[in-house]
């Protein structure tokens, strides 16, 4: 039997409501911080679609469309009665910043409690990535998105290998200056933008890109958005080689 759920988060973004709206309501803007590919028809009642890496597209319907203020859409219901809905409420502040309130709701099936717990943590990471994108790359769109996955890697191997690739020793902390060194790619200087649930999520920002490294349930994920022209195939080959060699 499907179980109803709701996840709520709030973030403050040092950007205008217009910049935040552009990043959450237009397909190229969404693709510049979220995984997969999104298309969204810009009107209430419009249709949307999202394709997660390695999965078939899923459809949705826009249920609220107030530019600069309110966006909501609801995914099509699955045969088992499960679905997900997403809502963004935007509030501008006199300081030029924006408060973004996010609600993720619907019905989950199967091991719904574990999935709910994962959504509470995962949703916040993407809001932090959205924040980093809007604050630091507001006028740039992602030219190449990467999502690589390696299963069955225990934490005691995952994070030391990542720290080495970042040129760090010991625990990874927010604000750490890094130099990303992966064989086959030129070194990249950057900074650790956020660390959430130590041992699970790390966000790293460079001059021309945004990374998110994830370790959850013994799976490693490396995400990257490039905001300059790169050889995407060569970039992915280098990172896949790193996953295969460093996380054996």
């Amino acid at each position: 039997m499907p179980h109803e759920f709701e996840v709520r988060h709030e973030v403050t973004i040092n950007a205008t409501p217009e910049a935040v709206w552009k990043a959450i309501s237009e397909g190229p803007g969404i693709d510049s911080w979220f995984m997969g590919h999104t298309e969204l028809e810009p009107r209430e009642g419009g249709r949307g679609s999202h394709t997660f890496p390695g999965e078939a597209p899923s459809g949705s319907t826009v249920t609220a469309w107030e530019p600069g203020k309110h966006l909501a859409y609801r995914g099509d219901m699955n045969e088992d009665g499960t679905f997900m809905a997403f809502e963004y409420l935007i509030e501008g502040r006199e300081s030029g910043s924006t408060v973004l309130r996010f609600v993720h709701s619907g019905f989950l099936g199967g091991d719904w409690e574990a999935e709910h717990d994962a959504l509470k943590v995962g949703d916040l990471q993407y809001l932090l990535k959205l924040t980093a994108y809007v604050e630091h790359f507001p006028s740039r769109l992602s030219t190449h998105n990467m999502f690589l996955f390696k299963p069955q890697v225990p934490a005691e191997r995952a994070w030391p290998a990542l720290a080495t690739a970042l040129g760090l020793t010991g625990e990874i902390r927010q604000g750490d200056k890094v130099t990303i060194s992966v064989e086959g790619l030129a070194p990249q200087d950057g900074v650790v933008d956020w660390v959430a649930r130590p041992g699970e999520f790390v966000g790293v920002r460079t001059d021309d890109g945004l990374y998110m490294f994830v370790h959850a349930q013994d799976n490693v994920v490396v995400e990257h958005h490039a905001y300059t022209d790169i050889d995407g195939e060569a970039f992915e080959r280098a990172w896949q080689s790193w996953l295969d060699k460093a996380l054996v």
Side-chain angles (χ1 to χ4, degrees):
M1 178 180 295
H3 291 265
E4 189 173 8
F5 80 97
E6 182 177 274
V7 172
R8 291 178 175 267
H9 289 295
E10 178 180 306
V11 292
T12 299
I13 303 175
N14 292 319
T16 65
E18 291 75 18
V20 175
W21 175 260
K22 194 176 182 68
I24 66 172
S25 66
E26 299 180 6
I30 300 170
D31 291 352
S32 294
W33 58 274
F34 196 56
M35 59 180 159
H37 175 66
T38 297
E39 296 180 4
L40 204 61
E41 189 179 358
R43 64 178 180 86
E44 186 172 341
R47 291 291 292 168
S49 69
H50 183 79
T51 305
F52 285 99
E55 297 185 10
S58 58
S60 61
T61 300
V62 177
T63 55
W65 184 272
E66 297 180 60
K69 296 181 179 180
H70 187 197
L71 170 67
Y73 49 93
R74 170 176 166 158
D76 297 341
M77 185 176 293
N78 299 308
E79 292 183 0
D80 62 359
T82 59
F83 71 89
M84 292 188 181
F86 305 86
E87 182 176 25
Y88 298 90
L89 295 166
I90 298 173
E91 180 183 339
R93 295 292 173 87
E94 291 182 358
S95 62
S97 64
T98 299
V99 173
L100 179 64
R101 297 180 177 89
F102 171 78
V103 183
H104 185 179
S105 60
F107 285 84
L108 299 172
D111 190 2
W112 71 273
E113 292 179 313
E115 188 173 357
H116 181 227
D117 290 343
L119 289 175
K120 284 193 294 186
V121 178
D123 283 348
L124 179 57
Q125 309 317 306
Y126 282 100
L127 290 177
L128 294 173
K129 187 150 69 129
L130 165 65
T131 299
Y133 166 63
V134 176
E135 290 185 351
H136 298 284
F137 306 100
S139 60
R140 302 166 72 177
L141 296 176
S142 181
T143 59
H144 178 265
N145 294 350
M146 180 179 76
F147 183 96
L148 297 180
F149 174 87
K150 185 174 179 65
Q152 303 304 310
V153 181
E156 58 266 25
R157 291 211 307 268
W159 293 114
L162 175 59
T164 298
L166 298 179
L168 299 173
T169 58
E171 184 179 349
I172 302 172
R173 296 181 173 86
Q174 183 180 13
D176 282 346
K177 302 296 184 181
V178 304
T179 299
I180 305 172
S181 299
V182 172
E183 184 178 358
L185 298 175
Q188 296 176 287
D189 292 333
V191 62
V192 177
D193 204 284
W194 77 90
V195 178
R197 295 278 290 264
E200 292 188 28
F201 296 90
V202 172
V204 173
R205 171 171 44 87
T206 67
D207 288 342
D208 296 308
L210 196 57
Y211 288 90
M212 186 163 74
F213 301 94
V214 181
H215 183 268
Q217 299 177 337
D218 280 349
N219 299 313
V220 171
V221 174
V222 180
E223 295 187 35
H224 179 260
H225 299 267
Y227 305 115
T228 188
D229 289 332
I230 65 170
D231 184 337
E233 292 184 0
F235 192 87
E236 293 201 19
R237 283 197 303 270
W239 273 101
Q240 186 63 62
S241 178
W242 177 81
L243 284 169
D244 293 340
K245 293 178 181 178
L247 301 177
V248 294

